[in-house]
Amino acid sequence: MCIITFCMAVVSPVLAQQRYTISGAVRSKKSGESIIGATVTVQGKNTGVVTNDYGFFSLTLPQGRYTVIIAAVGLQAQQIEVDLNKNTELNTQLQEESNTLQDVTVSAQSKGRSISSTQMGVEHLSIKETKNIPVLLGERDVLKTMQLLPGVKAAGEGNSGFYVRGGGVDQNLILLDDAPVYNASHLLGFFSTFNADAIKDVTLYKSGMPAQYGGRLSSVVDVRMNDGNNQDFHVNGGIGLISAKIDAEGPIEKDKSSFLVTGRRTYVDAFLKLSNDSTINKNSLYFYDLNAKLNFNLGKNDRLYVSGYFGRDKLGFNNVFGLTWGNATGTVRWNHNFGSKLFVNTSAIFSNYNYNIEINDNGSDFKIFSQLRDWNLKQDWQLYLNPRNTIRFGWNSIYHTIRPGEVTATSGLHDTSFQNRYGWENAVYLNNDWKVARNFNLSYGMRLSVFSALGKGNFYDIDHNGKILDTTYYNSGAIVKTYVYPEPRLALSYQFNSSSSVKASYVRNTQNMHLLSGSSASLPTDKWIVTNNIIKPEISDQFSVGYYRNLKNNMYELTVEAYYKTMQHQIDYRDGADIYSNDAIETQLLFGRGRAYGIEWLLRKKAGRFTGWVSYTLSKSEKQIDGINNNQWYNARQDRTHDIALVGMYQLNKKWSLSANWVYYTGDAVSFPSGKYKVDDRVIFYYTERNGYRMPAYHRLDLGATLQLKKHKKYSSELSFSLYNAYGRKNAYVITFREAKDNPQRTEAVQTSLFSFVPSVSYNFKF
């Protein structure tokens, strides 16, 4: 309340004038979908707002006549004359731009990267743009496209996992319609869980995260599904080399309600069955996913959304080994407008991730099951207090359940299981975006996070060597340990002129869900653990500064951002740790601190027949944990010095569009053996320096082309071609060591590479 009182005092002279509010929603005329990030400005005035995640806006002005301009990327802007002598509702529908060659303006402009906005480190991905960027096997992928942006690094060859500003894979909060997605990958990471045909909007926050987001240290990826067309029925689909997809959408009641259903499946397993070799035709390798959404207009001020996702992968080898994993999410959201200035969104969210392993090994048959499940309630309020102040506040409560592993034996072994772990995560937040002066904006706020580790189960007291000193049992629901952390946010921007500005921000984040990985690549079986009496919440403090400039009438955009991030309570393994067979996982871990710093450049061409960008990141990521590397600082696994991406798209004519991207990055930090010895004629390698070596540098060129076959009002089709790794670079996926066959005294390194010259073609249609 003190922030609201302060803001009222600041603007009280202005409020003495007669003022009225223009509010409403901006939607697509073609589909009825709400438009996120549309700009609502007043001609001749230095004032305006951006629509929120549900297309709503509110703008308060003195009484008078105004020309209101409403615009969005890829849509025709509207100018509306308003005689403002009372509160006015202005619901607007925007038409798509005409698709002549002269009008092609493929744009990747961020809704958050305005010159005046205080928001830093934000990238808004255009779904239309991802369609043209060549990727592995031609499957459009928003997470792979994201890896071409500065500050975002691929976790490995073909992997949909990513590192942001020196953080680990688990330090990214990935949301699908507000539901956390704990493993956003298919086929061991070669594809992401997000079917691009089901997605409306993707926003990445690398720093200065708004106060409504929390729970991860490094980034937020907010993915919004399409709402469904409430005007006409449409069916879209595509057939590629390894997968097929289809989606259908349309009105349940025109203008009032709609549905969306999308499905996708790979069919590599169908080709395996064609083989005459029994060691091949009994193998399985496929994934499928399903997105669905219902959207109901309940009246002038109310809207209800029901959305869900279900995806599953299966990997099997000749009935000997089987691995299945997948996510399921569900979200029910209710939007309500309290008049023209107050908007609330209330959500009930479910999220589930699990994997199941089946092993049949000469009479020792068993299954392993692990699960992570969340129940989540949240409420988010937006108060458009006046043209200078927009206040956002709300709360969030999540109940976590982790089943680390249950072994069910069918023969030869005994059933066993690790203890379930439970956590209750709560947060309240308040933030104000304040336009202090014509060229100076300030955003400030606070998020208060409260986490409680809960019973039932045994909790331990251990010494510095990892030995258990004492065990305490807690009953179901009993509070074992509670952590309370304030997470302040502060951001500011100073605008030099209409085309350039500087910004600075500070943000603190905490994290209570932690991922343990036993390999250099992220796997579905990596182990999630939750904060308890020994494993403390991870904490990060990030400072950022940046310079932003639009060039040549906004055709080009230049961004330079530098950051410094400190991290507390970082987790790593003891030497020789076993993280999979220990119930007391705390005995295998060590804790310390981390730091990451770097500078990012992005030059982007946003309009014209040729568009694209060049990004470069220079960075460092390190840890210092007592008990590792002689207690000295060492490279984090995700440390890379250089990361470069070049992306280009060219509209050759009305039928052909061409694209290419080239990437280069320094090899990952890895631990290679420093020596070897023999035990019972078996060679044992020993390691001395944690992450003290480097994989070979990585680089790759991808090419793509799209041919528009037919394009009518009710039907269109196209062919998409791509060539992944066009010059056949043998990039290292993993390096192993062995004795040389001709000289056992000599050790040789063996490099394994995955892909070279991977062509693909797909046929897509829409009617």
Side-chain angles (χ1 to χ4, degrees), residues 608-708:
R609 294 174 65 177
F610 177 75
T611 61
W613 66 86
V614 178
S615 72
Y616 171 60
T617 305
L618 175 67
S619 62
K620 188 68 180 175
S621 181
E622 299 174 297
K623 290 183 178 181
Q624 191 274 312
I625 296 177
D626 289 347
I628 298 176
N629 204 44
N630 295 320
N631 304 336
Q632 302 298 309
W633 286 95
Y634 63 96
N635 296 324
R637 191 175 74 183
Q638 60 270 22
D639 177 64
R640 291 180 191 156
T641 307
H642 306 285
D643 203 296
I644 303 171
L646 284 73
V647 180
M649 290 159 282
Y650 182 67
Q651 190 72 40
L652 183 64
N653 50 47
K654 291 183 178 181
K655 285 188 171 291
W656 282 98
S657 60
L658 309 177
S659 59
N661 56 258
W662 181 79
V663 296
Y664 170 92
Y665 55 77
T666 305
D668 289 348
V670 293
S671 298
F672 286 156
S674 301
K676 63 181 181 180
Y677 57 92
K678 283 192 174 183
V679 176
D680 297 329
D681 293 327
R682 186 165 62 96
V683 175
I684 306 295
F685 293 103
Y686 67 87
Y687 300 79
T688 57
E689 187 177 359
R690 186 74 61 96
N691 296 338
Y693 297 85
R694 290 277 176 189
M695 296 285 280
Y698 181 101
H699 54 89
R700 187 190 77 242
L701 172 67
D702 304 330
L703 303 174
T706 300
L707 171 63
Q708 185 76 55

Side-chain angles (χ1 to χ4, degrees), residues 229-240:
N229 193 315
N230 66 11
Q231 301 297 307
D232 298 295
F233 290 97
H234 290 281
V235 176
N236 307 325
I239 300 173

Side-chain angles (χ1 to χ4, degrees), residues 163-213:
Y163 309 124
V164 176
R165 292 192 172 179
V169 172
D170 65 321
Q171 293 179 357
N172 306 307
L173 177 63
I174 302 176
L175 301 173
L176 178 61
D177 275 1
D178 287 337
V181 178
Y182 283 95
N183 188 323
S185 64
H186 284 307
L187 291 185
L188 302 176
F190 297 125
F191 302 94
S192 82
T193 58
F194 302 123
N195 183 347
D197 291 340
I199 303 305
K200 173 168 66 174
D201 183 84
V202 181
T203 304
L204 166 69
Y205 298 94
K206 298 180 291 185
S207 67
M209 297 79 172
Q212 66 266 26
Y213 299 111

